[in-house]
Amino acid sequence: MHQPIRPQWVCAGCGVPWPCRTRKRQLVAEFTGARVSLILHLSAYLVQACEDLPHTPSGVLHTRFLAWQRSPALRGE
């Protein structure tokens, strides 16, 4: 299962920073046609991660949790 282990925010399935590549693809598939819902969902995780990782710059967390969904490769384009 590619879920986050908190408060470190690493993937339970593969041990890399969450969301991992596999979970990103799963999320894109789960939220097909609902991009705004995907962003809202990821934003909730971002807020939690900001609380758990207070020493991590917010820009780094934004990129990690939100910016990736703009990638054409992950969106299947």
Side-chain angles (χ1 to χ4, degrees):
M1 200 88 194
H2 293 273
Q3 296 298 319
I5 297 173
R6 292 180 63 186
Q8 302 86 1
W9 287 90
V10 295
C11 179
C14 55
V16 301
W18 194 92
C20 65
R21 187 168 185 85
T22 298
R23 186 61 184 141
K24 289 175 184 177
R25 289 177 190 236
Q26 290 171 345
L27 286 165
V28 168
E30 289 172 27
F31 287 90
T32 297
R35 184 171 181 265
V36 172
S37 295
L38 173 59
I39 293 169
L40 290 171
H41 182 75
L42 292 169
S43 295
Y45 281 123
L46 173 62
V47 169
Q48 294 172 18
C50 286
E51 292 171 357
D52 289 343
L53 304 169
H55 301 293
T56 304
S58 59
V60 170
L61 292 175
H62 176 271
T63 299
R64 180 173 165 183
F65 285 85
L66 295 175
W68 64 265
Q69 57 81 33
R70 294 180 185 175
S71 170
L74 289 170
R75 290 194 319 258
E77 296 177 1

